Amino acid sequence: MDYKALIEEKDGLRLTGVKNFHPRHVFECGQAFRWDRLDDDGEHYRGIVAGKVLEVKREGEDLFLRHATREDFDQGLRRYFDFGRAYTPLKKRLAQDPCLKEAVKEGWGIRILQQDPFETLISFILSSNNGIPKIRQGIRAISARYGRLISGEGDYAFPTPEELSRATMEELYGLGVGYRAKYIHGATAQVCEAQRLKKESQKRSLTAEEEEAAALDLEELEKLSTEECYERLQKFVGVGPKVADCVMLFSLGKTGAFPVDVWMKKAMDYFYQVEGKSLPRIREAGQERFGTLAGFAQQYLFFYAREKKIRIE
DNA sequence: ATCCAGGAGCAAT
DNA sequence: ATTGCTCATGGA
């Protein structure tokens, strides 16, 4: 366990004796897009989780979750922050690898968040060939237009599939998400159709074609093996290898996923001399080397690569 | 101006 | 199964 005790206070929840958690490492390793830094040293963030505004602040050995209750923690935040997992043994195993030892030292406070699958799906569809500030802006715009108002300060929850399905492609295009508008529109329709067919299947048997569409239900995807889940996710429009890996790792608990983007390509080349290899080959190399810990290895390497701005000639 | 960003779809091979 | 081109958008 990476914390000792929970203490309820008037305006939040305090975790004491917290290990392996640094807000900057958790929120700026490219896995989540709805957290804003409130201080200079990256110990205090404000974000939106499960339709509620939350502040996270590191105070020495404590982690203070403002606006959270013990019920919020038991119901979702514990899982969201991956507090069911002890990171010390995991980091020790990865640090056997001399290259990762350096990366783990740099991003010692990283944890892999378990986020909402639909929000993660749409967020990473938006991420393709896009910059992080622009991704954040797009998610904010989508939430403000289609999500529920959740505070008096203009905070909006990410829309449910039902809510986002009311968006037209033209409206989405107008939010500045570029050519990804049709992907977001299409993938949302696929999610809604899968949900509809799942209910329908309780009343009657589905045709083969309907079965295939129903298989895209996000709750069903979580039950699949890593490779089956990987293949299935890529049936969503706008979802290829990279986005599928991100959705698996950041929302479906598949720790063996190994998202490979331009930064990972640089990092794998820098550390493991895989230059010239195609993206699928680099993914294979990562999974071969790190197995079920591939996702963690990837996050430490990604954070290190961006932090050090490593360049390959 | 050209290049790049947590890439994917599509056609051609 | 793999490679090359194209796809909006804004910042460097």
Side-chain angles (χ1 to χ4, degrees):
Chain A
M1 192 91 95
D2 284 346
Y3 65 94
K4 285 182 182 162
L6 293 179
I7 302 172
E8 281 196 285
E9 299 185 0
K10 36 267 155 215
D11 58 343
L13 188 64
R14 180 174 302 278
L15 282 70
T16 64
V18 176
K19 298 180 295 185
N20 305 315
F21 193 123
H22 193 293
R24 187 170 64 85
H25 297 174
V26 172
F27 300 129
E28 297 191 23
C29 63
Q31 58 178 328
F33 301 105
R34 301 208 71 190
W35 289 93
D36 298 312
R37 194 170 66 191
L38 297 180
D39 63 350
D40 290 331
D41 45 3
E43 297 191 323
H44 191 186
Y45 285 77
R46 183 177 190 276
I48 297 164
V49 185
K52 296 178 83 171
V53 176
L54 181 66
E55 275 184 39
V56 175
K57 189 176 184 188
R58 180 172 182 249
E59 296 176 348
E61 296 286 297
D62 293 356
L63 195 67
F64 185 63
L65 308 179
R66 193 179 305 277
H67 307 317
T69 64
R70 183 184 294 268
E71 190 184 346
D72 292 332
F73 190 78
D74 293 337
Q75 188 191 9
L77 293 180
R78 176 188 169 88
R79 176 180 154 80
Y80 179 82
F81 288 115
D82 204 19
F83 272 121
R85 189 188 312 275
Y87 275 61
T88 303
L90 173 163
K91 285 161 65 179
K92 229 162 229 163
R93 267 209 280 166
L94 288 176
Q96 300 285 89
D97 182 309
C99 298
L100 257 174
K101 186 173 183 177
E102 197 179 340
V104 169
K105 189 176 176 184
E106 184 74 24
W108 59 267
I110 287 176
R111 303 184 78 82
I112 293 186
L113 300 174
Q114 287 302 304
Q115 306 175 66
D116 174 74
F118 180 64
E119 176 174 345
T120 307
L121 176 70
I122 301 303
S123 296
F124 279 93
I125 285 174
L126 228 166
S127 81
S128 78
N129 198 27
N130 209 350
I132 289 180
K134 198 71 201 306
I135 299 165
R136 294 165 59 87
Q137 177 192 320
I139 293 169
R140 262 198 307 274
I142 288 172
S143 300
R145 177 70 180 77
Y146 305 102
R148 190 168 48 85
L149 181 64
I150 57 169
S151 81
E153 304 160 66
D155 296 291
Y156 292 85
F158 192 84
T160 62
E162 166 78 13
E163 287 168 342
L164 191 52
S165 72
R166 294 184 207 116
T168 68
M169 217 180 301
E170 290 73 19
E171 286 171 357
L172 290 170
Y173 200 88
L175 296 181
V177 298
Y179 62 86
R180 305 164 194 87
K182 60 178 179 297
Y183 298 160
I184 294 169
H185 182 80
T188 299
Q190 285 174 287
V191 169
C192 290
E193 179 67 357
Q195 286 182 350
R196 188 183 72 78
L197 287 170
K198 190 181 178 185
K199 287 179 188 171
E200 192 79 8
S201 71
Q202 296 170 350
K203 292 181 269 183
R204 63 175 178 84
S205 62
L206 304 178
T207 68
E209 197 172 325
E210 287 173 330
E211 288 284 3
E212 198 171 334
L216 293 180
D217 183 81
L218 295 174
E219 289 178 13
E220 299 299 318
L221 288 175
E222 192 166 6
K223 303 172 186 169
L224 301 175
S225 70
T226 299
E227 279 314 299
E228 285 179 314
C229 188
Y230 182 63
E231 298 304 323
R232 197 74 61 85
L233 276 169
Q234 293 180 59
K235 295 188 183 302
F236 284 106
V237 283
V239 177
K242 162 64 169 58
V243 173
D245 266 332
C246 286
V247 174
M248 288 202 295
L249 182 58
F250 303 138
S251 74
L252 300 177
K254 308 300 180 189
T255 64
F258 195 77
V260 179
D261 63 1
V262 292
W263 286 101
M264 272 312 292
K265 195 167 157 55
K266 287 176 194 171
M268 288 294 282
D269 188 7
Y270 178 80
F271 284 122
Y272 303 108
Q273 294 77 46
V274 295
E275 61 174 303
K277 292 193 178 180
S278 63
L279 297 181
R281 292 292 254 163
I282 294 174
R283 178 178 189 266
E284 276 181 30
Q287 293 189 316
E288 173 87 10
R289 185 179 288 267
F290 306 118
T292 58
L293 296 184
F296 300 99
Q298 192 274 352
Q299 282 307 98
Y300 291 116
L301 289 170
F302 179 80
F303 184 79
Y304 184 90
R306 283 182 58 84
E307 201 76 359
K308 300 286 190 183
K309 300 191 192 316
I310 65 176
R311 298 289 178 199
I312 307 300
E313 296 293 314

